[in-house]
Amino acid sequence: ELSFIHRYEPASEPARPPLLLLHGTGGDETDLLALGRTVSPGSALLSPRGKILENGMPRFFRRLAEGVFDEEDVRFRANELADFVAEARKAYGLEAPIALGFSNGANIAAAMLMLRPDALAGAALLRAMVPLQDAPKADLTGKRVLMVSGLMDPIIPVENSNRLAASLSESSADVQHETLPTGHGLSQTDLQLMLKWFAVSG
Ligand code: MLT
């Protein structure tokens, strides 16, 4: 028994990198399967359900208010999820995955990059914000990170997503940060950027 409820789809193209799919608040382990198949056809898909319930809505860590995180829980849950990734890699015979996270799922992926850099080969972070105010400085050399932010996102100030991109760059990740004239929801341009970015991975 692995430690998270999850969906798993084996690779049909073993040369493609596995994806770790991380849903937003109120989503579940089926939410991002179709997106994962679209942006990286043939990749193995590993898609856990967040263990925290906020008014019945699954999430990956606790928050005190919208955009205000319980950082002790962020740390605990990022480590717990990294442990799950290690278990799943053994069980399914996978390389380190590339995270594909939206909103709360992008935030836990960012926390994993900072706290457990070996857990992920890279990450596509859609509408991510700074998950920890004082994270340790990780070495992310060789890891590609795509961040796509919304200029009019009511939850994430542009300054905040810029700060996350800067801190990942300072940790030597290969960061591509795009800010679109859109809100918190995903747009067609997000999809185009992901298709391009995933096409050169693996
Ligand atoms: C979070 O709690 O991670 C962010 O506020 C994004 C969200 O899930 O709404």
Side-chain angles (χ1 to χ4, degrees):
E1 279 294 288
L2 299 190
S3 58
F4 276 71
I5 294 171
H6 67 282
R7 292 275 298 263
Y8 175 67
E9 286 189 9
S12 59
E13 291 280 357
R16 297 292 303 157
L19 304 192
L20 176 68
L21 303 175
L22 300 168
H23 63 78
T25 302
D28 69 21
E29 67 278 13
T30 64
D31 271 30
L32 298 182
L33 292 171
L35 182 63
R37 287 181 207 120
T38 301
V39 299
S40 189
S43 280
L45 303 178
L46 178 63
S47 187
R49 183 195 303 180
K51 287 187 180 187
I52 301 300
L53 281 181
E54 183 184 90
N55 303 317
M57 296 186 294
R59 293 173 49 81
F60 287 96
F61 58 82
R62 286 178 211 290
R63 63 179 164 184
L64 309 172
E66 196 165 86
V68 186
F69 301 154
D70 175 343
E71 295 203 9
E72 197 182 316
D73 197 57
V74 173
R75 288 172 189 271
F76 179 82
R77 299 296 167 186
N79 279 299
E80 180 185 52
L81 189 57
D83 292 342
F84 164 73
V85 170
E87 282 169 36
R89 285 183 58 188
K90 244 189 220 154
Y92 299 125
L94 301 173
E95 303 285 298
I98 296 177
L100 168 53
F102 169 63
S103 189
N104 182 248
N107 295 340
I108 194 74
M112 284 170 77
L113 284 172
M114 292 168 176
L115 299 172
R116 295 283 293 272
D118 294 342
L120 298 175
L125 307 176
L126 309 171
R127 309 301 183 269
M129 59 191 293
V130 174
L132 291 164
Q133 293 310 317
D134 51 23
K137 198 163 167 7
D139 180 6
L140 300 175
T141 305
K143 298 188 199 291
R144 297 173 70 234
V145 177
L146 173 66
M147 274 183 67
V148 191
S149 303
L151 193 58
M152 293 161 302
D153 191 323
I155 300 175
I156 309 173
V158 169
E159 167 280 320
N160 187 301
S161 54
N162 286 343
R163 192 145 45 86
L164 175 59
S167 101
L168 294 169
S169 292
E170 279 161 27
S171 296
S172 304
D174 174 6
V175 179
Q176 178 186 346
H177 185 201
E178 306 285 349
T179 301
L180 308 179
T182 185
H184 199 67
L186 299 182
S187 69
Q188 205 56 35
T189 312
D190 286 89
L191 186 61
Q192 284 158 9
L193 287 166
M194 279 188 281
L195 284 167
K196 250 188 156 165
W197 186 84
F198 275 102
V200 297
S201 69

